[in-house]
């Protein structure tokens, strides 16, 4: 072990488990690629103001969780705690929204950084795959994104997840509700921190996990009773489209989520096997975000799914993904001449697309065969001086143990025939 360890709240992805993470990313990306979403990648850091404005001054993310630093050049940057604001920034900067082809549909995959109290499922470095559909107001778009996330989770084999759905209203009806809620909350017995929250982000108080707060919230005005006709009709359409697609969801009037910029449709995917860090993903409509960061009005909707928690959800359900062995053929040379010849065969096989590995470092037969078995290969190629003198290589089936000599020139064809 070296003197150094991964920083607090982080962990490394190492083989073989790392293959599961890649497969999860791939499983989430696949339905997006298949539905008109293009890949976007933005820097791991941005001007801190982008998040302050785009995520919201009153959110935990901005007030407590951001890694902020100043560069030698004097710029104030933040490691990205989320990627919606960066993606919108990139779309606006590249004028994609002006190409006359709305919505702009993009997906991303990458690291996020939040200075949180580390616990199972909550890390300081974690990974999300996300999707954004920018510039169009259409309930079918909201439904599409929820359906695609559902499809991704199901493709992974997950069953014990639920979709929570709510509407947060829009700039017409939400302010009226916000004021009514503030009136109600100001009559309660709350600590100073929560009182401050009542002033700046009262909807967030509904989300308070503490029993003492939840008890007082009985009888709080509900947003549902304040939604304007347009928001009600919009929400009803999203619900109908989901139902028609056979995607089950639960109406959750208390679902507000952390970000200030959400409007109308808001949703969360929760997994019942994860304990307190139960949200595996979430998202919603953010019609006001573009204007908040200096762009034109661009009604948009998106989600971000957490890769780390999705892997934990797989574990909770006892699902092992069917990941093909990284290596199909393992070559074991015995002696210098065999090393030269077999290395040539390995290169040939690799160029032909066969996943092949090699016993490096002049290992003895016993050790090399152990490595061959550990690699997951189905076939081993073994050659010593006597084999080479006869112009053959021993082809060993690692499952049955059966071994047959194959002419050197015919090895590649024979291997491919055996692997099917
Ligand atoms: P939570 O309520 O658990 O803090 P959040 O509302 O902050 O979640 P989002 O910002 O919506 O989460 O991010 C979407 C997803 O990213 C979450 O559902 C979760 O799977 C994942 N995620 C968020 N924060 C972390 C973290 N610190 N560690 C691991 N995964 C995370
Ligand atoms: Mg959080």
């Amino acid at each position: 072990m070296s003197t150094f360890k991964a920083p607090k709240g982080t962990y490394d992805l190492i083989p073989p488990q790392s293959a599961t993470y890649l497969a999860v990313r791939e499983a989430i990306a696949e339905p997006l690629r298949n539905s008109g979403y293009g890949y976007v990648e933005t820097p791991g850091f941005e001007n801190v103001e982008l998040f302050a404005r785009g995520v919201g001054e009153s959110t935990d993310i901005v007030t407590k969780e951001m890694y902020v630093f100043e560069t030698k050049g004097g710029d104030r940057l933040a490691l990205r705690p989320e990627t919606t604001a960066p993606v919108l920034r990139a779309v606006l900067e590249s004028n994609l929204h002006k190409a006359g082809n709305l919505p702009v549909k993009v997906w991303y995959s990458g690291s996020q950084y939040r200075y949180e109290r580390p616990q199972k499922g909550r890390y300081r470095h974690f990974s999300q795959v996300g999707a954004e559909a920018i510039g169009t107001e259409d309930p079918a778009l909201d439904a599409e994104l929820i359906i695609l996330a559902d499809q991704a989770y199901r493709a992974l084999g997950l069953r014990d997840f639920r979709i929570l759905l709510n509407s947060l209203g829009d700039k017409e009806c939400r302010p009226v509700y916000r004021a009514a809620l503030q009136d109600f909350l100001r009559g309660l017995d709350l600590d100073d921190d929560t009182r401050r929250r009542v002033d700046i982000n009262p909807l967030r108080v509904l989300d308070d996990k503490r029993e003492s707060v939840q008890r007082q919230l009985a009888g709080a005005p509900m947003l549902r009773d304040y939604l304007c006709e347009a928001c009600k009709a919009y929400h009803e359409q999203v619900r109908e489209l989901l139902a028609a697609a056979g995607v089950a969801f639960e109406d959750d009037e208390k679902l507000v989520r952390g970000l200030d910029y959400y409007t109308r449709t808001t949703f969360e995917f929760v997994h019942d096997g994860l304990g307190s860090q139960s949200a595996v993903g979430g998202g919603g409509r953010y019609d006001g975000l573009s204007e908040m960061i200096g762009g034109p009005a661009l009604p948009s909707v998106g989600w971000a799914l957490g890769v780390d928690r999705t892997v934990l959800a797989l574990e909770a359900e006892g699902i092992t993904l069917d990941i093909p062995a990284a290596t199909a053929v393992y070559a074991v040379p015995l002696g210098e001449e065999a090393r030269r010849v077999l290395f040539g065969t390995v290169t040939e096989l690799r160029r032909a697309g066969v996943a092949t590995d090699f016993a490096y470092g002049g290992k003895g037969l016993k050790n090399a065969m152990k490595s061959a078995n550990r690699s997951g290969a189905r076939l081993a190629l073994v050659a010593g001086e006597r084999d080479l003198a006869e112009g053959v290589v021993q082809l060993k089936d690692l499952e049955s143990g059966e071994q047959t000599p194959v002419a050197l020139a015919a090895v590649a064809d024979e291997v491919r025939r055996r692997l099917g």
Side-chain angles (χ1 to χ4, degrees):
M1 204 171 81
S2 90
T3 332
F4 300 104
K5 289 191 172 166
K8 183 173 175 193
T10 72
Y11 64 103
D12 306 305
L13 301 182
I14 45 177
Q17 293 85 351
S18 53
T20 304
Y21 285 77
L22 279 182
V24 165
R25 289 195 182 118
E26 189 48 42
I28 301 173
E30 214 284 320
L32 297 170
R33 282 200 203 97
N34 199 35
S35 309
Y37 289 77
Y39 180 66
V40 61
E41 192 165 320
T42 61
F45 49 82
E46 297 275 350
N47 191 311
V48 68
E49 272 304 305
L50 174 67
F51 299 114
R53 286 213 248 157
V55 179
E57 303 274 12
S58 69
T59 59
D60 285 352
I61 289 183
V62 169
T63 55
K64 299 185 196 147
E65 298 171 3
M66 247 187 335
Y67 285 89
V68 180
F69 60 100
E70 191 171 313
T71 65
K72 292 196 173 74
D75 293 326
R76 294 248 306 154
L77 303 178
L79 298 185
R80 67 173 173 216
E82 62 100 51
T83 302
T84 298
V87 164
L88 190 55
R89 194 260 317 132
V91 166
L92 293 171
E93 188 171 338
S94 60
N95 282 321
L96 260 190
H97 63 296
K98 288 189 185 157
N101 195 19
L102 296 177
V104 174
K105 300 209 291 187
V106 287
W107 71 278
Y108 61 84
S109 172
S111 295
Q112 316 295 328
Y113 307 86
R114 296 184 194 176
Y115 190 75
E116 303 213 56
R117 193 166 70 76
Q119 44 200 302
K120 184 158 192 201
R122 189 175 296 287
Y123 311 106
R124 291 181 174 178
H125 166 255
F126 61 98
S127 170
Q128 291 178 337
V129 176
E132 317 288 350
I134 295 163
T136 303
E137 189 183 87
D138 184 339
L141 206 49
D142 307 40
E144 166 176 293
L145 278 162
I146 296 171
I147 291 166
L148 292 175
D150 177 80
Q151 191 180 327
Y153 288 137
R154 286 186 188 282
L156 286 166
L158 291 171
R159 292 293 173 267
D160 300 340
F161 67 90
R162 291 177 290 131
I163 300 173
L164 310 180
L165 185 67
N166 195 18
S167 172
L168 293 180
D170 63 7
K171 61 176 185 294
E172 302 305 319
C173 54
R174 191 155 76 204
V176 183
Y177 170 68
R178 192 175 184 275
L181 182 62
Q182 275 174 329
D183 268 356
F184 173 86
L185 295 173
R186 286 184 179 130
L188 303 182
D189 176 26
L190 300 167
D191 58 277
D192 289 349
D193 255 7
T194 312
R195 283 183 179 285
R196 256 191 302 281
R197 191 171 281 173
V198 170
D199 292 334
I200 52 180
N201 197 350
L203 270 71
R204 250 331 226 169
V205 178
L206 296 178
D207 221 15
D208 201 307
K209 303 281 187 291
R210 288 170 299 181
E211 181 55 37
S212 58
V213 177
Q214 280 302 324
R215 217 176 318 114
Q216 298 191 70
L217 290 176
M222 297 309 293
L223 185 49
R224 179 194 44 194
D225 302 322
Y226 287 76
L227 289 184
C228 61
E229 287 310 314
C231 283
K232 265 189 216 159
Y234 192 97
H235 196 56
E236 207 35 55
Q237 283 196 55
V238 175
R239 297 175 78 256
E240 278 166 17
L241 289 164
L242 290 177
V247 171
F249 58 88
E250 295 168 22
D251 293 305
D252 182 351
E253 295 158 31
K254 285 197 176 152
L255 181 70
V256 294
R257 302 189 35 76
L259 312 191
D260 282 351
Y261 56 63
Y262 282 114
T263 49
R264 288 196 170 169
T265 313
T266 186
F267 49 85
E268 195 157 84
F269 304 92
V270 295
H271 192 277
D272 290 322
L274 293 186
S276 47
Q277 268 60 254
S278 63
V280 286
R285 194 153 261 291
Y286 50 93
D287 293 346
L289 177 58
S290 176
E291 284 154 297
M292 277 186 217
I293 64 169
L298 282 174
S300 306
V301 56
W303 49 240
L305 309 189
V307 175
D308 308 70
R309 288 190 199 166
T310 303
V311 171
L312 292 175
L314 289 172
E315 285 167 14
E317 288 198 43
I319 299 168
T320 22
L321 300 181
D322 192 13
I323 293 164
T327 303
V329 179
Y330 198 95
V332 176
L334 304 170
E336 264 313 300
E337 175 65 2
R339 201 164 78 98
R340 199 180 51 73
V341 172
L342 269 193
F343 190 70
T345 309
V346 165
T347 301
E348 186 188 346
L349 284 170
R350 286 174 174 169
R351 285 180 178 152
V354 179
T356 309
D357 208 352
F358 189 69
Y360 291 100
K363 291 186 211 194
L365 180 62
K366 203 167 147 222
N367 256 335
M369 290 313 289
K370 255 193 214 157
S371 301
N373 283 314
R374 236 181 265 139
S375 77
R378 275 177 53 200
L379 301 171
L381 297 173
V382 186
E385 259 154 55
R386 186 153 7 117
D387 300 307
L388 293 182
E390 289 168 17
V392 300
V393 168
Q394 302 294 329
L395 182 58
K396 183 168 182 177
D397 186 310
L398 289 172
E399 269 156 42
S400 66
E402 173 207 342
Q403 185 169 308
T404 39
V406 176
L408 198 49
V411 168
D413 283 345
E414 179 60 14
V415 161
R416 275 190 288 173
R417 197 184 62 76
R418 294 263 203 121
L419 293 174

